[in-house]
């Protein structure tokens, strides 16, 4: 096992002799799943309070009220645990975003505002998630960069889907739906990261207004581009 930087973790114990017996009607696989969930929940609290690089296996186990034996039955080390915490935060954010979009009016401006509000409220309502997703995620290193890039790509694909549906003719003007979506996600992430680093001191409505202005500008530009394109030729029926 690799030793985590700036801290020493206990050696993983042997798992020989692990029993598959049932206790209280719960089998060993379900008990392990429950312990894993407790460790992830505990890690979110520890990382959110101390930061990844100042946290240890002992800190997480103490928060979860479990021994290191149970830590190593589910995770290879702290980076593995952090990726699991980050994945759960990203899933929760995606779910909150999709739900906000489902409740919104099907207009580009309304959809953008709903998604942005869901994102910034998600951050504001639990600063621990913000630190994991926007601060430490970029400083863990290793395979975490790949996980971060994939989460960003997932949100870009979400935006791209709506953009393709609402502005299907942009490629005729040399514009790339995916590239535009990536740019919007990148600007949104940058604003959110600075907001979190500043302990969310700026009022949420101010942050939302400024971020939305970038999306609104893109929407207005897309509308203008499509309005200036030549009409789609109507294919006339050929004589029989």
């Amino acid at each position: 096992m690799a030793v985590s930087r700036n801290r020493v973790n206990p050696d993983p114990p042997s798992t020989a002799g692990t029993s598959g017996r049932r206790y209280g009607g719960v089998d060993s696989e379900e008990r392990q799943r429950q312990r894993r969930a407790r460790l992830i929940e505990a890690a979110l609290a520890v990382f959110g309070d101390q930061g990844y690089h100042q946290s240890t296996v002992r800190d997480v186990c103490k928060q979860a009220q479990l021994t290191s034996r149970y830590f190593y039955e589910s995770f290879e080390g702290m980076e593995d645990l952090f990726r699991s915490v980050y994945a759960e935060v990203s899933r929760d954010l995606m779910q909150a975003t999709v739900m906000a979009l489902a409740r919104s009016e099907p207009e580009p401006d309304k959809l953008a505002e709903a998604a942005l509000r869901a994102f910034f409220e998600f951050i504001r309502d639990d600063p621990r998630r913000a630190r994991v997703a926007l601060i430490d995620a970029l400083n863990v290193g290793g395979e975490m960069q790949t996980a971060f890039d994939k989460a960003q790509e997932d949100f870009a694909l979400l935006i791209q889907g709506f953009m393709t549906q609402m502005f299907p003719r942009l490629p005729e003007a040399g514009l790339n739906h995916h590239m535009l979506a990536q740019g919007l996600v990148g600007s949104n992430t940058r604003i959110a990261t600075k907001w979190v680093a500043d302990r969310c001191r700026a009022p949420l409505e101010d942050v939302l207004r400024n971020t939305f202005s970038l999306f609104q500008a893109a929407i207005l530009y897309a509308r203008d581009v499509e309005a200036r394109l030549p009409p789609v030729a109507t294919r006339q029926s050929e004589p029989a």
Side-chain angles (χ1 to χ4, degrees):
M1 180 193 71
V3 177
S4 299
R5 190 172 66 178
N6 297 329
R7 59 198 189 267
V8 178
N9 295 325
D11 292 330
S14 171
T15 58
T18 300
S19 171
R21 292 177 295 178
R22 298 175 68 88
Y23 292 94
V26 181
D27 62 28
S28 61
E29 184 176 337
E30 175 60 18
R31 292 199 306 276
Q32 180 176 348
R33 188 198 67 78
Q34 293 175 358
R35 288 192 293 267
R36 188 178 189 278
R38 283 173 61 184
L39 287 163
I40 290 176
E41 183 179 359
L44 177 60
V46 172
F47 295 150
D49 182 50
Q50 302 174 190
Y52 171 77
H53 290 292
Q54 301 303 318
S55 302
T56 66
V57 170
R58 289 187 181 92
D59 293 333
V60 174
C61 289
K62 181 179 179 180
Q63 179 72 22
Q65 297 184 329
L66 293 169
T67 66
S68 60
R69 167 193 172 189
Y70 294 123
F71 178 95
Y72 287 106
E73 78 176 355
S74 294
F75 304 103
E76 295 179 0
M78 290 292 277
E79 184 183 325
D80 186 23
L81 172 62
F82 186 90
R83 287 197 303 271
S84 296
V85 175
Y86 178 80
E88 185 162 297
V89 170
S90 295
R91 282 194 300 269
D92 289 346
L93 174 56
M94 178 61 79
Q95 182 178 17
T97 303
V98 171
M99 290 177 64
L101 290 170
R103 293 191 298 265
S104 172
E105 297 177 34
E107 296 292 333
D109 303 69
K110 299 294 185 181
L111 290 166
E113 185 175 9
L116 289 171
R117 183 174 294 279
F119 174 59
F120 285 108
E121 287 181 349
F122 183 87
I123 291 172
R124 180 202 60 187
D125 292 346
D126 192 342
R128 303 173 306 171
R129 298 184 297 207
R131 181 161 188 171
V132 165
L134 296 172
I135 304 298
D136 284 348
L138 297 174
N139 299 317
V140 171
E143 297 178 17
M144 190 54 230
Q145 182 64 50
T146 301
F148 180 82
D149 290 343
K150 182 182 183 306
Q152 295 289 96
E153 180 69 6
D154 288 342
F155 282 97
L157 289 173
L158 181 65
I159 293 176
Q160 179 185 348
F162 282 98
M163 192 179 296
T164 302
Q165 180 181 0
M166 295 180 172
F167 302 107
R169 299 188 65 195
L170 291 183
E172 296 176 36
L175 297 176
N176 184 294
H177 287 122
H178 188 57
M179 194 178 298
L180 292 171
Q182 286 180 316
L184 291 172
V185 169
S187 63
N188 187 38
T189 301
R190 180 59 179 170
I191 290 173
T193 301
K194 294 296 291 182
W195 189 46
V196 170
D198 199 35
R199 299 183 180 276
C200 300
R201 278 198 280 254
L204 182 143
E205 295 301 324
D206 288 353
V207 178
L208 180 60
R209 186 184 308 110
N210 282 273
T211 309
F212 177 63
S213 70
L214 300 176
F215 281 71
Q216 194 171 41
I219 291 167
L220 291 172
Y221 183 69
R223 284 173 174 156
D224 181 63
V225 166
E226 288 206 338
R228 287 188 284 109
L229 288 172
V232 178
T234 303
R235 180 179 297 177
Q236 296 182 350
S237 300
E238 296 181 2

